[in-house]
C-alpha cells in the first residue's frame, strides 16, 4: 500500500497481530526480538533482528532496515531510540520516545495527566523505600492503599495492597528496591477501557468504550460495548481522547479507567501501543486496533468513524486464554469449546505454554450481549449445552397475550398471520385483573427473553395492553376485543386513550390480523427481510383485488354478485 | 490447536488466506509453489517446497512434511496425488483426488451433478473440434450458445460465445485444441453463489447466499446477502448443499449458480476450494471461508450455524482489486479511497502488479446494503463525497408527517419527545387529500431513506395514516387530531378502524407524546439503547409520581390541593 518499512520493537502477540494487519496492506514489517518470536513466525523475511529491544545495538540494526519504528511494548530503551533518531534524522519513531518515557514511569505519567486536566486517582511518590515513609502515607490516605512500582509493572506485577500498618514491611519486601508510589484506595464499581488512535495531525479517534474484568490482576474478560448508560460511555470516551491528546506523536493508545459509584471517571493508566482490552476490535470492528496503529504510524488515511463497530448491533466479548496453572496445554480445552461455539473465534499466538502466560484470546460476536454471554458460559465450561446459532434459533420475537381464553378466537387469527410470515412467536393467557403478578413478571422479563414486541388482546375494561405497556419498554400492540355489549367501543377507548407517557399501539376492534401485520412491520426495523416480506404481502393483496376487478369487469357486476352470494 | 501439519498445493492469495487462518489456530502449514509466492511471504518456515503443484516429485516432497494435503487450485496433478496416497497411506488428502478429477473436467462435473439430481444448464460434449460439429450443435441449441473448454478454464478464459454460424471458425481458433463442450444459452437474471463447507462426516454447512457480478468474465462485486427474496436464497442454498453432498471427502466448496427469470436455479460450476465469492466472509462472518476449510480438513469442530453472518444485520459488499490495465499500481488509488472510507477493509496479496491480475480485494460491512452501496460508490470513484460514519450520522430514523400545519401544535409535542431522547427525526407536511402524489412518494421512499417508522397526525376524515400505511411496509403510528367538531372521535375511528391487511398503530386523541414514545419503543427493536432510555424515562415518571405522593401525604390533601390550584 505504502513504500514504508515498519520496524517493530518486540515480537510478542501484539507484534504478531500488527504484522498480520500490515500484511493485509502489503506493508513490510521487520521485527526486533528473540528468534522465532510470535511475530517472526508469520513473516518470512531474513532481515529480522535477533536481539533485545532494550539494547542500543539491536535497535540500531532494526533502524537501518526501517523507515518507521514502533513498539509493541513500552519497556524499551528510550535513550537508545533518541540516539537512533539523532543518527538517522529521517526515521520516524511512533510513539515518540518522549511519550514512551513519560509513560514508562507511572508516577510521572500521572503527573503529566494531572497537568493536562485529566482526573486520576490521588497518589504520591514514595520518597524512600522505608516502613516509616509508608506509615506516613497510611496516616494520610488511610488503609488499605495501593503501593505500586513506578516502572516495569504490568499485569499487576508491581502492585501491592497495603491492607493495614502490618503489611508495610511485606510490601517493601515484595516490591524490593523498585521506585515506588502510593495510590489512594479507589472504590471503583467497574473498570472501563477505550482504545484511542491518534493521527500525526493530532486528530484522535476512539473505539467504543468497553468494560474490562480482571482476575489475579490479569485481564480476563472484555465486554464491548461496556454495559453502562450512554452518558457514562461517552464520558469515558471523552476522558480517554483528552488523555491521548496530551501526548504528541501518533499511534494507538490503550486507556484504562475506573468508574466510581458517583459516575466519576478516573484514568488509571495508559499504554502507548495496542492493548489487550482492544483485541475484540479484530472481530467487532471493521478496522482492528492493529490496523489502526499501522495506518497511524505510516500516515495512511484514518477517516471519521473508522473505529466503530461493524454494524449498529454488534456486541462482543473477549476472553483471554492463559496457560493452565497445572496441566500444560489444558487451556486448549477452552479453545476447543470455543471452536464448537458458533460466533466465536480463536486466536492463538504460537507460544509455548506456561502457567498464566497469555497464550491467545477468544472473541465472541453477536447481535445481543446476553446471547454472547451464553456462548461465553459454554466456552468457560459453566454449561454443557452448546449455544444454538443466533440466526436459526426460533427464539420468539413476538409475544401474543390475552386476558382470557374467550379472546382466543379473535387472537388466533393474528397468530396465523405470524405463522404464515415465519415469525417465531409465543402465545399465552395473562390476565390483568386475575393474574396481576404474572402480568407484571411477563412484562418485565419480555425484553430479556428477546421479545421485540407484545400483542395484547382484551375486551370490556381492557386493561391488559396498557398495564403491560406500563411495565415494559417494548412496543405493545393492543387489540380491542368486541364483547357482548357496547360493540367493542368500550375496549377500543380503554386501550387507545392511554395517558401521556405510556403508549399502546391500538388497532381496529377484533382486528388481530392488523396487530400481527404491525408486529411484522416493527420487526422490519431489526431485519429488512421482514419489510421485503411485507412488501410482497401488500403486492399480493393488490393483485388479489386487481384480479377481482378484472373478473367483475369481465362478467359484469350482476353475474359477479350472483357468484359472490353463492359462496 | 491441533498437531497436524497441512500441506497446501498452491501459494497464491487463496493459499495465503488459508495460511493466515491456520496461524490463528496455531496450525502449521507448508506450501508448494514458486518461491516467495503470496502464501509463503507470511509463513516463516524453511520447509516450503519450491516447485509446481503439477509435478509428482514436488507433491511428494510436500507430502513428506505434511499430515494433510489440500489445494488452493483444482488444476493440480491428480494422478500424482493418488500415487502419493499409495506411498503414504496415512496422509489425508482433501478435497479427495477423485473429487478434484471430477471437477477438473467441467463436462464430467456437469454429468456428475445431473446424476445426483442437481439442475444444471443443458450441455453437450463437442465430439470433434470441427465447424461441422459446432454447426450441428447450433442447429439443436440455436444461437447464441456457449462454447467452453472442459479443462483448465477459469475467470472466463476458456469460454467463447458463439453468436451465430459465422462465429464457429473463430471459436475453434480461440479455444484451439482443447477438449470442448457446448452449453445452451442461459438467459439468467442474476448470478448467485454459496460457499459450502463439508465435514469429514459428510455434514454440510452453507454460508449465506450471495449475488456475484462479473465484468469481462472476472468476478467484480459480491453482495452478501443476495438481494433476492428469501425463498430464492433458500432454494439456492439447498441446491448448493445438495451439490456439495454429492462429493465425498471434506473441505470448502464454492458453488456458482444462475437464477432464471422464472425463479429456477441452475448450478453453473463448483470449485473444490476457497472461492472469490467467499472473500466477504472474512469480515461479515465470524468464521471465514478459509478458517472453515482449515477446520474441515484438520477435523476441528464445525458447529451448526458457524457459517452465519456475525450479527443479524450484517450486509457486505466485496470488490475485487485488479491490476490497472494501463498504469502499473494505479489500482492502489482504489485501495486508498477504501482506506478513506469507514467500514471498508483492504486486503492486498503481496503480488507484483499486472493488468487485470487479482491484486487484492475490499470488503465493506454495514447494517444496511444501501449504506454499503454508497461506500462502494466512493471507493469506485463514482462520487467524491466520503460516506459518513454509519453510527454517528444523524440520518432520520423517524418521520413525523401531518396533513396540515394546523396539526403542528399537537404534533410538535411528540417531536420534542424525540429530541429529548436524542432520536434523529424529520418533520414535514404531507396531505392525503391535497398532495396525494407527494404522499405516495413519501410512503414509498421512506424505507430506502432509512426511516424505521412514520408518525402521521390527522384530523377529521383523517386518511393520512392509513393511506401512508397502505403504501409502505414500515410501521405507521396514527395520531387522531381533535377537530372543532365531534371531539376527535371522528379522527380516532377513521385511523384505528383500518381494514384487515393494513395496520395503523393508533394512539389516543391528540397524544403525539405517546406516538413519539411508541416510535422510540419500536427503535428499541433495532438498538437496545433505546429500550434502556425508555426504562429510564419510565423510572423517572414513577419517581415523579412517588414524589408527589410523598408531598401529598406529607402536607395533607387539603394543603396540597391549595398548592395545586395556585399553579
Amino acid at each position: 500500500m505504502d513504500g514504508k518499512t515498519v520496524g517493530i520493537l518486540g515480537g510478542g502477540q501484539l507484534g504478531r497481530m500488527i504484522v498480520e494487519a500490515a500484511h493485509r496492506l502489503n506493508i513490510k514489517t521487520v521485527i526486533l526480538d528473540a528468534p522465532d518470536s510470535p511475530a517472526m513466525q508469520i513473516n518470512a523475511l531474513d532481515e529480522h533482528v535477533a536481539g533485545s529491544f532494550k539494547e542500543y545495538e539491536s535497535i540500531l540494526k532494526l533502524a537501518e532496515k526501517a523507515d518507521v519504528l514502533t513498539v509493541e511494548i513500552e519497556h524499551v530503551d528510550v535513550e537508545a531510540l533518541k540516539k537512533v533518531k539523532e543518527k538517522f534524522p529521517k526515521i520516524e519513531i511512533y510513539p515518540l520516545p518522549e511519550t514512551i518515557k513519560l509513560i514508562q514511569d507511572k508516577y510521572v505519567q500521572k503527573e503529566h495527566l494531572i497537568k493536562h486536566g485529566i482526573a486520576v486517582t490521588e497518589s504520591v511518590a514514595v520518597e524512600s523505600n522505608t516502613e516509616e515513609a509508608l506509615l506516613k502515607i497510611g496516616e494520610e490516605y488511610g488503609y488499605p492503599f495501593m503501593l505500586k512500582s513506578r516502572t516495569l509493572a504490568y499485569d499487576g506485577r508491581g502492585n501491592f495492597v497495603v491492607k493495614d500498618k502490618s503489611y508495610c514491611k511485606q510490601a517493601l519486601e515484595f516490591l524490593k528496591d523498585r521506585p515506588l508510589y502510593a495510590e489512594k484506595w479507589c472504590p471503583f464499581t467497574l473498570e472501563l477501557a477505550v482504545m484511542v488512535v491518534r493521527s500525526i495531525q493530532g486528530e484522535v479517534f476512539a473505539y467504543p468504550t468497553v468494560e474490562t474484568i480482571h482476575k489475579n490482576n490479569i485481564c480476563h474478560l472484555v465486554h464491548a460495548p461496556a454495559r453502562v448508560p450512554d452518558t457514562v460511555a461517552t464520558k469515558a470516551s471523552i476522558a480517554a481522547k483528552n488523555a491521548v491528546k496530551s501526548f504528541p506523536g501518533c499511534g494507538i493508545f490503550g486507556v484504562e479507567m475506573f468508574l466510581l459509584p458517583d459516575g466519576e471517571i478516573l484514568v488509571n493508566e495508559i499504554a502507548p501501543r495496542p492493548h489487550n482490552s482492544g483485541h475484540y476490535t479484530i472481530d467487532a470492528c471493521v478496522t482492528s486496533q492493529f490496523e489502526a496503529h499501522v495506518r497511524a504510524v505510516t500516515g495512511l488515511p484514518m477517516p471519521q468513524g473508522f473505529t466503530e463497530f461493524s454494524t449498529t448491533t454488534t456486541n462482543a466479548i473477549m476472553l483471554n486464554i492463559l496457560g493452565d496453572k497445572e496441566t500444560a496445554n489444558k487451556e486448549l480445552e477452552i479453545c476447543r469449546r470455543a471452536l464448537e461455539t458458533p460466533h466465536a473465534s480463536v486466536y492463538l499466538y504460537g507460544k509455548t505454554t506456561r502457567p498464566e502466560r497469555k497464550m491467545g484470546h477468544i472473541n465472541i460476536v453477536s447481535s445481543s450481549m446476553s446471547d454472547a454471554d451464553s456462548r461465553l458460559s459454554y466456552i468457560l465450561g459453566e454449561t454443557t449445552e452448546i449455544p444454538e446459532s443466533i440466526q436459526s434459533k426460533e427464539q420468539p420475537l413476538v409475544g401474543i397475550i390475552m386476558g382470557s381464553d374467550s379472546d382466543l378466537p379473535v387472537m388466533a387469527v393474528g397468530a396465523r398471520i405470524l405463522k404464515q410470515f415465519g415469525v417465531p412467536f409465543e402465545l399465552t393467557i395473562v390476565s390483568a385483573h386475575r393474574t396481576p403478578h404474572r402480568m407484571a413478571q411477563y412484562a418485565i422479563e419480555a425484553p430479556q427473553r428477546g421479545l421485540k414486541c407484545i400483542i395484547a388482546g382484551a375486551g370490556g375494561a381492557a386493561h391488559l395492553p396498557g398495564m403491560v405497556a406500563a411495565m415494559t419498554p417494548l412496543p405493545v400492540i393492543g387489540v380491542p376485543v368486541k364483547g357482548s355489549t357496547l360493540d367493542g367501543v368500550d375496549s377500543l377507548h380503554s386501550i387507545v386513550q392511554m395517558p401521556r407517557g405510556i403508549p399502546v399501539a391500538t388497532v381496529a376492534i377484533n382486528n388481530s390480523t392488523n396487530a400481527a401485520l404491525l408486529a411484522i412491520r416493527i420487526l422490519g426495523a431489526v431485519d429488512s427481510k421482514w419489510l421485503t416480506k411485507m412488501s410482497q404481502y401488500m403486492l399480493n393483496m393488490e393483485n388479489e383485488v386487481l384480479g377481482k376487478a378484472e373478473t367483475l369487469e369481465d362478467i359484469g357486476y350482476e353475474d359477479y354478485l350472483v357468484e359472490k352470494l353463492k359462496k
Side-chain angles (χ1 to χ4, degrees), chain A residues 332-370:
Chain A
L332 289 181
E333 288 174 17
I334 297 175
C335 300
R336 176 163 273 274
R337 281 198 300 271
L339 291 175
E340 287 165 0
T341 307
H343 298 259
S345 306
V346 175
Y347 296 83
L348 291 169
Y349 305 147
K351 292 176 173 179
T352 312
T353 188
R354 272 207 311 261
E356 299 277 271
R357 191 180 199 194
K358 287 182 181 170
M359 301 300 298
H361 71 270
I362 289 162
N363 281 345
I364 307 167
V365 173
S366 174
S367 307
S368 91
M369 193 59 94
S370 63

Short mmCIF file of all heavy atoms in Angstrom, two decimals, chain A residues 332-370:
data_model
loop_
_atom_site.label_atom_id
_atom_site.label_comp_id
_atom_site.label_asym_id
_atom_site.label_seq_id
_atom_site.Cartn_x
_atom_site.Cartn_y
_atom_site.Cartn_z
N LEU A 332 -6.13 -25.54 25.98
CA LEU A 332 -6.66 -25.81 24.64
C LEU A 332 -8.08 -26.36 24.70
O LEU A 332 -8.82 -26.30 23.72
CB LEU A 332 -5.74 -26.77 23.87
CG LEU A 332 -4.40 -26.16 23.45
CD1 LEU A 332 -3.57 -27.18 22.68
CD2 LEU A 332 -4.60 -24.90 22.60
N GLU A 333 -8.47 -26.89 25.88
CA GLU A 333 -9.85 -27.37 26.02
C GLU A 333 -10.82 -26.20 25.89
O GLU A 333 -11.91 -26.35 25.32
CB GLU A 333 -10.05 -28.06 27.36
CG GLU A 333 -9.35 -29.40 27.40
CD GLU A 333 -9.40 -30.06 28.78
OE1 GLU A 333 -10.24 -29.64 29.61
OE2 GLU A 333 -8.60 -30.97 29.01
N ILE A 334 -10.42 -25.05 26.43
CA ILE A 334 -11.25 -23.85 26.29
C ILE A 334 -11.36 -23.49 24.81
O ILE A 334 -12.42 -23.16 24.30
CB ILE A 334 -10.64 -22.67 27.08
CG1 ILE A 334 -10.62 -22.99 28.57
CG2 ILE A 334 -11.41 -21.37 26.82
CD1 ILE A 334 -9.92 -21.94 29.41
N CYS A 335 -10.21 -23.58 24.12
CA CYS A 335 -10.20 -23.24 22.69
C CYS A 335 -11.10 -24.19 21.91
O CYS A 335 -11.83 -23.76 21.01
CB CYS A 335 -8.79 -23.32 22.13
SG CYS A 335 -7.67 -22.19 22.95
N ARG A 336 -11.04 -25.46 22.28
CA ARG A 336 -11.87 -26.42 21.55
C ARG A 336 -13.35 -26.12 21.75
O ARG A 336 -14.14 -26.16 20.81
CB ARG A 336 -11.51 -27.86 21.97
CG ARG A 336 -12.38 -28.92 21.35
CD ARG A 336 -11.77 -30.31 21.46
NE ARG A 336 -10.87 -30.58 20.36
CZ ARG A 336 -11.27 -31.07 19.18
NH1 ARG A 336 -12.53 -31.33 18.94
NH2 ARG A 336 -10.39 -31.30 18.22
N ARG A 337 -13.70 -25.78 22.99
CA ARG A 337 -15.12 -25.42 23.23
C ARG A 337 -15.49 -24.18 22.44
O ARG A 337 -16.62 -24.05 21.95
CB ARG A 337 -15.39 -25.26 24.73
CG ARG A 337 -15.56 -26.60 25.45
CD ARG A 337 -16.26 -26.44 26.80
NE ARG A 337 -15.51 -25.57 27.69
CZ ARG A 337 -14.56 -25.98 28.52
NH1 ARG A 337 -14.25 -27.27 28.60
NH2 ARG A 337 -13.94 -25.13 29.29
N ALA A 338 -14.55 -23.27 22.31
CA ALA A 338 -14.84 -22.07 21.51
C ALA A 338 -15.08 -22.44 20.05
O ALA A 338 -15.96 -21.89 19.38
CB ALA A 338 -13.70 -21.06 21.62
N LEU A 339 -14.29 -23.41 19.55
CA LEU A 339 -14.48 -23.83 18.15
C LEU A 339 -15.83 -24.53 17.97
O LEU A 339 -16.40 -24.53 16.89
CB LEU A 339 -13.35 -24.77 17.72
CG LEU A 339 -11.96 -24.13 17.56
CD1 LEU A 339 -10.92 -25.19 17.25
CD2 LEU A 339 -11.97 -23.07 16.47
N GLU A 340 -16.33 -25.11 19.06
CA GLU A 340 -17.64 -25.77 18.99
C GLU A 340 -18.79 -24.76 19.07
O GLU A 340 -19.95 -25.12 18.92
CB GLU A 340 -17.80 -26.76 20.16
CG GLU A 340 -16.96 -28.02 20.01
CD GLU A 340 -16.85 -28.79 21.32
OE1 GLU A 340 -17.43 -28.33 22.34
OE2 GLU A 340 -16.18 -29.82 21.33
N THR A 341 -18.44 -23.51 19.35
CA THR A 341 -19.45 -22.47 19.58
C THR A 341 -19.59 -21.59 18.35
O THR A 341 -18.62 -20.96 17.94
CB THR A 341 -19.01 -21.58 20.76
OG1 THR A 341 -18.72 -22.43 21.87
CG2 THR A 341 -20.09 -20.59 21.14
N PRO A 342 -20.77 -21.54 17.75
CA PRO A 342 -20.89 -20.61 16.63
C PRO A 342 -20.71 -19.17 17.13
O PRO A 342 -21.03 -18.87 18.28
CB PRO A 342 -22.31 -20.82 16.11
CG PRO A 342 -22.95 -21.84 16.97
CD PRO A 342 -22.00 -22.28 18.03
N HIS A 343 -20.17 -18.34 16.28
CA HIS A 343 -19.97 -16.92 16.58
C HIS A 343 -18.84 -16.68 17.58
O HIS A 343 -18.83 -15.67 18.26
CB HIS A 343 -21.27 -16.24 17.01
CG HIS A 343 -22.28 -16.29 15.91
ND1 HIS A 343 -22.54 -15.22 15.10
CD2 HIS A 343 -23.04 -17.29 15.44
CE1 HIS A 343 -23.43 -15.57 14.19
NE2 HIS A 343 -23.75 -16.82 14.37
N ALA A 344 -17.91 -17.61 17.68
CA ALA A 344 -16.70 -17.39 18.47
C ALA A 344 -15.49 -17.65 17.58
O ALA A 344 -15.53 -18.49 16.70
CB ALA A 344 -16.67 -18.33 19.67
N SER A 345 -14.42 -16.88 17.80
CA SER A 345 -13.18 -17.07 17.04
C SER A 345 -12.03 -17.28 18.02
O SER A 345 -11.99 -16.63 19.06
CB SER A 345 -12.82 -15.84 16.22
OG SER A 345 -13.88 -15.47 15.42
N VAL A 346 -11.10 -18.13 17.61
CA VAL A 346 -9.95 -18.43 18.46
C VAL A 346 -8.70 -17.80 17.84
O VAL A 346 -8.49 -17.90 16.63
CB VAL A 346 -9.76 -19.95 18.56
CG1 VAL A 346 -8.49 -20.29 19.33
CG2 VAL A 346 -10.98 -20.59 19.22
N TYR A 347 -7.90 -17.13 18.65
CA TYR A 347 -6.63 -16.57 18.20
C TYR A 347 -5.54 -17.11 19.09
O TYR A 347 -5.50 -16.80 20.29
CB TYR A 347 -6.66 -15.03 18.32
CG TYR A 347 -7.69 -14.43 17.42
CD1 TYR A 347 -9.02 -14.37 17.81
CD2 TYR A 347 -7.37 -14.00 16.14
CE1 TYR A 347 -10.00 -13.86 16.97
CE2 TYR A 347 -8.33 -13.49 15.29
CZ TYR A 347 -9.65 -13.42 15.71
OH TYR A 347 -10.61 -12.93 14.87
N LEU A 348 -4.65 -17.92 18.54
CA LEU A 348 -3.51 -18.42 19.32
C LEU A 348 -2.26 -17.73 18.81
O LEU A 348 -2.17 -17.33 17.65
CB LEU A 348 -3.43 -19.94 19.21
CG LEU A 348 -4.59 -20.66 19.92
CD1 LEU A 348 -4.61 -22.14 19.57
CD2 LEU A 348 -4.49 -20.48 21.44
N TYR A 349 -1.28 -17.59 19.71
CA TYR A 349 -0.16 -16.71 19.39
C TYR A 349 1.12 -17.44 19.02
O TYR A 349 2.17 -16.81 18.88
CB TYR A 349 0.12 -15.78 20.58
CG TYR A 349 -1.06 -14.97 21.07
CD1 TYR A 349 -1.18 -14.65 22.42
CD2 TYR A 349 -2.04 -14.50 20.19
CE1 TYR A 349 -2.24 -13.89 22.89
CE2 TYR A 349 -3.12 -13.74 20.65
CZ TYR A 349 -3.21 -13.44 22.00
OH TYR A 349 -4.26 -12.68 22.47
N GLY A 350 1.07 -18.78 18.92
CA GLY A 350 2.28 -19.51 18.56
C GLY A 350 3.32 -19.54 19.67
O GLY A 350 4.53 -19.62 19.41
N LYS A 351 2.87 -19.50 20.94
CA LYS A 351 3.80 -19.52 22.07
C LYS A 351 3.81 -20.89 22.74
O LYS A 351 2.82 -21.61 22.70
CB LYS A 351 3.34 -18.51 23.13
CG LYS A 351 3.42 -17.06 22.77
CD LYS A 351 2.82 -16.31 23.95
CE LYS A 351 2.95 -14.83 23.87
NZ LYS A 351 2.32 -14.21 25.07
N THR A 352 4.93 -21.18 23.42
CA THR A 352 4.99 -22.39 24.23
C THR A 352 4.22 -22.13 25.52
O THR A 352 4.35 -21.07 26.11
CB THR A 352 6.46 -22.72 24.57
OG1 THR A 352 7.20 -22.63 23.36
CG2 THR A 352 6.60 -24.11 25.15
N THR A 353 3.45 -23.12 25.94
CA THR A 353 2.58 -22.89 27.09
C THR A 353 3.39 -22.79 28.39
O THR A 353 4.42 -23.46 28.55
CB THR A 353 1.52 -24.01 27.21
OG1 THR A 353 0.61 -23.65 28.24
CG2 THR A 353 2.13 -25.35 27.51
N ARG A 354 2.93 -21.89 29.27
CA ARG A 354 3.47 -21.72 30.63
C ARG A 354 2.30 -21.29 31.50
O ARG A 354 1.43 -20.57 31.01
CB ARG A 354 4.53 -20.61 30.65
CG ARG A 354 5.93 -21.04 30.35
CD ARG A 354 6.98 -20.10 31.00
NE ARG A 354 6.74 -18.69 30.77
CZ ARG A 354 7.36 -17.97 29.84
NH1 ARG A 354 8.24 -18.52 29.03
NH2 ARG A 354 7.09 -16.68 29.72
N PRO A 355 2.30 -21.67 32.78
CA PRO A 355 1.18 -21.28 33.62
C PRO A 355 0.94 -19.77 33.57
O PRO A 355 1.89 -18.99 33.68
CB PRO A 355 1.61 -21.73 35.03
CG PRO A 355 2.56 -22.85 34.78
CD PRO A 355 3.25 -22.52 33.50
N GLU A 356 -0.31 -19.36 33.39
CA GLU A 356 -0.73 -17.95 33.42
C GLU A 356 -0.19 -17.13 32.25
O GLU A 356 -0.37 -15.91 32.23
CB GLU A 356 -0.32 -17.27 34.74
CG GLU A 356 -0.92 -17.89 35.98
CD GLU A 356 -2.33 -17.38 36.25
OE1 GLU A 356 -2.47 -16.37 36.93
OE2 GLU A 356 -3.29 -18.00 35.74
N ARG A 357 0.52 -17.76 31.31
CA ARG A 357 1.01 -17.00 30.17
C ARG A 357 -0.15 -16.71 29.22
O ARG A 357 -1.03 -17.55 29.04
CB ARG A 357 2.07 -17.84 29.44
CG ARG A 357 2.84 -17.06 28.40
CD ARG A 357 3.89 -17.92 27.70
NE ARG A 357 4.89 -17.06 27.06
CZ ARG A 357 5.76 -17.46 26.17
NH1 ARG A 357 5.81 -18.74 25.82
NH2 ARG A 357 6.62 -16.62 25.64
N LYS A 358 -0.15 -15.52 28.61
CA LYS A 358 -1.19 -15.22 27.63
C LYS A 358 -0.92 -16.00 26.35
O LYS A 358 -0.03 -15.66 25.58
CB LYS A 358 -1.24 -13.72 27.34
CG LYS A 358 -1.83 -12.90 28.49
CD LYS A 358 -1.90 -11.41 28.15
CE LYS A 358 -2.48 -10.62 29.33
NZ LYS A 358 -2.36 -9.15 29.14
N MET A 359 -1.70 -17.04 26.14
CA MET A 359 -1.47 -17.95 25.01
C MET A 359 -2.30 -17.55 23.79
O MET A 359 -1.98 -17.91 22.67
CB MET A 359 -1.86 -19.38 25.41
CG MET A 359 -1.10 -19.94 26.59
SD MET A 359 0.67 -19.97 26.25
CE MET A 359 0.70 -21.09 24.85
N GLY A 360 -3.39 -16.87 24.05
CA GLY A 360 -4.27 -16.50 22.95
C GLY A 360 -5.49 -15.81 23.50
O GLY A 360 -5.55 -15.49 24.70
N HIS A 361 -6.46 -15.55 22.65
CA HIS A 361 -7.73 -15.00 23.13
C HIS A 361 -8.86 -15.50 22.25
O HIS A 361 -8.63 -16.03 21.16
CB HIS A 361 -7.68 -13.46 23.17
CG HIS A 361 -7.67 -12.81 21.83
ND1 HIS A 361 -6.51 -12.51 21.14
CD2 HIS A 361 -8.68 -12.41 21.03
CE1 HIS A 361 -6.81 -11.95 19.99
NE2 HIS A 361 -8.12 -11.88 19.89
N ILE A 362 -10.07 -15.33 22.78
CA ILE A 362 -11.27 -15.75 22.06
C ILE A 362 -12.18 -14.54 21.93
O ILE A 362 -12.39 -13.82 22.91
CB ILE A 362 -11.98 -16.89 22.82
CG1 ILE A 362 -11.14 -18.17 22.73
CG2 ILE A 362 -13.39 -17.13 22.28
CD1 ILE A 362 -11.49 -19.21 23.75
N ASN A 363 -12.69 -14.31 20.74
CA ASN A 363 -13.67 -13.24 20.54
C ASN A 363 -15.04 -13.85 20.25
O ASN A 363 -15.14 -14.78 19.44
CB ASN A 363 -13.28 -12.35 19.35
CG ASN A 363 -12.21 -11.34 19.69
OD1 ASN A 363 -11.94 -11.09 20.86
ND2 ASN A 363 -11.61 -10.75 18.67
N ILE A 364 -16.06 -13.34 20.91
CA ILE A 364 -17.43 -13.76 20.64
C ILE A 364 -18.18 -12.53 20.13
O ILE A 364 -18.08 -11.47 20.74
CB ILE A 364 -18.13 -14.26 21.93
CG1 ILE A 364 -17.29 -15.35 22.60
CG2 ILE A 364 -19.53 -14.76 21.63
CD1 ILE A 364 -17.73 -15.67 24.02
N VAL A 365 -18.88 -12.68 19.02
CA VAL A 365 -19.60 -11.54 18.44
C VAL A 365 -21.07 -11.92 18.27
O VAL A 365 -21.37 -13.04 17.85
CB VAL A 365 -19.02 -11.15 17.08
CG1 VAL A 365 -19.87 -10.08 16.41
CG2 VAL A 365 -17.60 -10.64 17.23
N SER A 366 -21.97 -11.03 18.61
CA SER A 366 -23.39 -11.34 18.46
C SER A 366 -24.21 -10.06 18.35
O SER A 366 -23.72 -8.97 18.64
CB SER A 366 -23.86 -12.15 19.66
OG SER A 366 -25.26 -12.34 19.58
N SER A 367 -25.47 -10.22 17.96
CA SER A 367 -26.37 -9.06 17.94
C SER A 367 -26.79 -8.68 19.35
O SER A 367 -27.26 -7.57 19.57
CB SER A 367 -27.64 -9.38 17.15
OG SER A 367 -27.32 -9.85 15.89
N SER A 368 -26.67 -9.58 20.31
CA SER A 368 -27.08 -9.23 21.67
C SER A 368 -26.06 -9.71 22.69
O SER A 368 -25.43 -10.75 22.54
CB SER A 368 -28.45 -9.82 21.99
OG SER A 368 -28.32 -11.09 22.58
N MET A 369 -25.87 -8.90 23.74
CA MET A 369 -24.88 -9.24 24.75
C MET A 369 -25.29 -10.48 25.54
O MET A 369 -24.44 -11.28 25.92
CB MET A 369 -24.67 -8.05 25.69
CG MET A 369 -23.45 -8.16 26.58
SD MET A 369 -21.90 -8.31 25.65
CE MET A 369 -21.37 -6.60 25.54
N SER A 370 -26.59 -10.67 25.75
CA SER A 370 -26.99 -11.84 26.53
C SER A 370 -26.71 -13.11 25.74
O SER A 370 -26.33 -14.14 26.29
CB SER A 370 -28.45 -11.75 26.96
OG SER A 370 -29.27 -11.74 25.83
#
